[in-house]
Amino acid sequence: MSDPALVLDEAAQDLLFREAHTASAFSPEPVSDEQLRAVYDLVKYGPTAFNQTPLRIVLVRSAEARERLVAHMADGNKAKTLAAPLTAILAADYEFHEELPRLVPHFPGLKDAFFGAREVREGSAALNAALQMGYLIVGIRAAGLAAGPMTGYDAAGIDKEFFPEGDHSVISVINIGRPGDEAYKPRAPRLDYDEVVTTV
Amino acid sequence: MSDPALVLDEAAQDLLFREAHTASAFSPEPVSDEQLRAVYDLVKYGPTAFNQTPLRIVLVRSAEARERLVAHMADGNKAKTLAAPLTAILAADYEFHEELPRLVPHFPGLKDAFFGAREVREGSAALNAALQMGYLIVGIRAAGLAAGPMTGYDAAGIDKEFFPEGDHSVISVINIGRPGDEAYKPRAPRLDYDEVVTTV
């Protein structure tokens, strides 16, 4: 069902959106660091406010780290997280402003002008990390993988366990891999264009 | 510079990420409702937590509405917003829970179980609307258009002007169109993979 208003080819539309689904079961095939690097090196170009790029990613690979993570997951997310080939903790870095002199060389005073206050940074980092999470999910699919993003966990517990310095906060935990048998639930309904978009 | 770890074809990689840029100047060519509808009907499938899909979009088309919007934009954003073929206000709907019985039919009690408190809805709506903004920017590019997302504005002023009922909050204002002359600034640096991704 191609739309002539789109330039993106139909196979890419299907890969990234139309045929893509959140996965809750995965094949045992591993996900390599090279695959993740390819995903990151594609989606790192997605824009954020002032190029602040506050998203940070922890790949949970060791059995010990996986156990530490699963202890904080909601019951309904424990088994699938234990079984996934790779699980990534996505976090907003509240100290992203330290990188701004390098990331925004055309605005030398940005760090102090706008982001001196921790409270401002927390709000900005959470929103922009979520924006980057959108790009990342698209990128995971661009690598032929499926993503299973979750928000059912004890966020304070994960923050304390994986970011004890107190300067990051989890925004999602994503299982990543090739979809396994019965990976997908039926697609839930979406709102229609006219319910979401108004014109003034 | 194609990466064999990606399945997405190189032209699509370029269109969506590698060659795409935030635009600050546009050609006068109009952006139709049909184009926006095609974008929405592609990216509406992007996942959100519990399928809550809290993003709402106001297309600013009339001269009167454009003036009302520009009055609340930061000085540096006024001229380009006045000149853009189309400007969209992106907002998080804090009353998204009213749609959950229809959007999440497999979890009938979700609305009251998790989203009874306005404060919880505000945080969830902001994060998930930002996630959807990521998909939307990808979708705008999929239509061969350029996006110019901005956060330099008086958010409270826009909320009061365009959402007087108090149940939506702006997360970004995006100019949309075909890029014009000198649309793009040089690409700002990005963080390297090893600065963003750690493995445990």
Side-chain angles (χ1 to χ4, degrees):
Chain A
M1 194 176 69
S2 188
D3 191 313
L6 297 179
V7 171
L8 185 71
D9 66 90
E10 197 171 338
Q13 294 176 33
D14 289 346
L15 179 70
L16 302 181
F17 291 106
R18 292 195 206 280
E19 300 290 326
H21 286 258
T22 289
S24 56
F26 299 89
S27 87
E29 188 178 340
V31 177
S32 69
D33 286 346
E34 288 63 37
Q35 285 173 293
L36 258 290
R37 190 178 289 267
V39 169
Y40 178 76
D41 282 339
L42 179 67
V43 303
K44 69 182 179 186
Y45 296 115
T48 56
F50 292 111
N51 195 35
Q52 63 188 258
T53 59
L55 181 69
R56 303 293 180 265
I57 301 169
V58 178
L59 301 183
V60 180
R61 288 205 178 274
S62 72
E64 170 269 340
R66 193 173 292 269
E67 290 290 343
R68 285 198 289 133
L69 173 61
V70 168
H72 300 286
M73 300 301 292
D75 286 344
N77 288 329
K78 285 180 192 289
K80 62 185 174 189
T81 302
L82 276 173
L86 179 62
T87 301
I89 301 171
L90 272 56
D93 182 356
Y94 293 157
E95 302 298 301
F96 69 86
H97 65 314
E98 298 295 350
E99 311 298 335
L100 291 177
R102 190 158 55 104
L103 290 174
V104 197
H106 50 283
F107 189 166
L110 175 61
K111 175 183 164 185
D112 299 316
F114 282 14
F115 295 112
R118 165 82 176 220
E119 186 185 304
V120 171
R121 294 199 303 272
E122 288 186 2
S124 191
L127 277 176
N128 283 279
L131 179 59
Q132 287 186 277
M133 177 181 162
Y135 308 139
L136 184 73
I137 288 176
V138 172
I140 289 168
R141 292 165 169 189
L145 299 167
M150 299 170 286
T151 52
Y153 47 68
D154 170 13
I158 290 178
D159 288 352
K160 196 173 170 189
E161 184 71 41
F162 289 92
F163 310 109
E165 294 182 2
D167 54 2
H168 293 68
S169 185
V170 59
I171 65 162
S172 188
V173 175
I174 305 190
N175 291 324
I176 304 170
R178 293 208 186 271
D181 295 339
E182 300 182 31
Y184 302 137
K185 296 171 187 157
R187 171 95 75 193
R190 294 299 193 269
L191 297 172
D192 291 333
Y193 177 83
D194 296 316
E195 297 177 289
V196 169
V197 181
T198 54
T199 301
V200 294
Chain B
M1 194 175 72
S2 188
D3 191 314
L6 296 179
V7 170
L8 185 72
D9 64 271
E10 196 171 340
Q13 294 176 33
D14 289 345
L15 178 71
L16 302 181
F17 290 105
R18 292 195 206 278
E19 299 291 326
H21 285 258
T22 289
S24 56
F26 299 89
S27 87
E29 187 179 339
V31 178
S32 69
D33 286 345
E34 287 63 37
Q35 285 173 293
L36 258 289
R37 190 179 289 269
V39 169
Y40 177 76
D41 282 339
L42 180 67
V43 303
K44 69 182 179 186
Y45 296 115
T48 56
F50 292 113
N51 195 36
Q52 64 188 258
T53 60
L55 181 68
R56 303 293 179 267
I57 302 169
V58 178
L59 301 182
V60 180
R61 287 206 178 274
S62 72
E64 170 267 340
R66 193 173 292 268
E67 290 291 344
R68 286 198 288 135
L69 173 61
V70 168
H72 300 285
M73 300 301 293
D75 286 346
N77 289 330
K78 286 181 191 290
K80 63 184 172 188
T81 301
L82 275 172
L86 179 62
T87 301
I89 302 171
L90 271 55
D93 182 357
Y94 293 156
E95 301 298 301
F96 69 86
H97 65 314
E98 298 295 351
E99 311 298 336
L100 291 178
R102 190 158 55 102
L103 291 174
V104 197
H106 51 282
F107 189 166
L110 175 61
K111 175 183 162 186
D112 299 316
F114 282 14
F115 295 112
R118 165 81 176 221
E119 186 186 304
V120 171
R121 293 199 303 273
E122 288 185 4
S124 190
L127 277 176
N128 283 279
L131 179 60
Q132 288 187 277
M133 177 181 162
Y135 307 139
L136 185 73
I137 287 176
V138 172
I140 288 168
R141 292 166 168 188
L145 299 167
M150 300 172 286
T151 51
Y153 46 67
D154 169 13
I158 290 179
D159 287 352
K160 195 172 170 191
E161 184 71 41
F162 289 92
F163 310 108
E165 293 181 2
D167 54 3
H168 294 67
S169 185
V170 60
I171 64 163
S172 188
V173 175
I174 305 190
N175 291 324
I176 304 171
R178 292 206 187 273
D181 295 340
E182 300 183 32
Y184 303 136
K185 296 171 189 159
R187 171 96 73 192
R190 294 298 193 270
L191 297 173
D192 291 333
Y193 178 83
D194 295 316
E195 296 177 290
V196 168
V197 181
T198 54
T199 300
V200 293

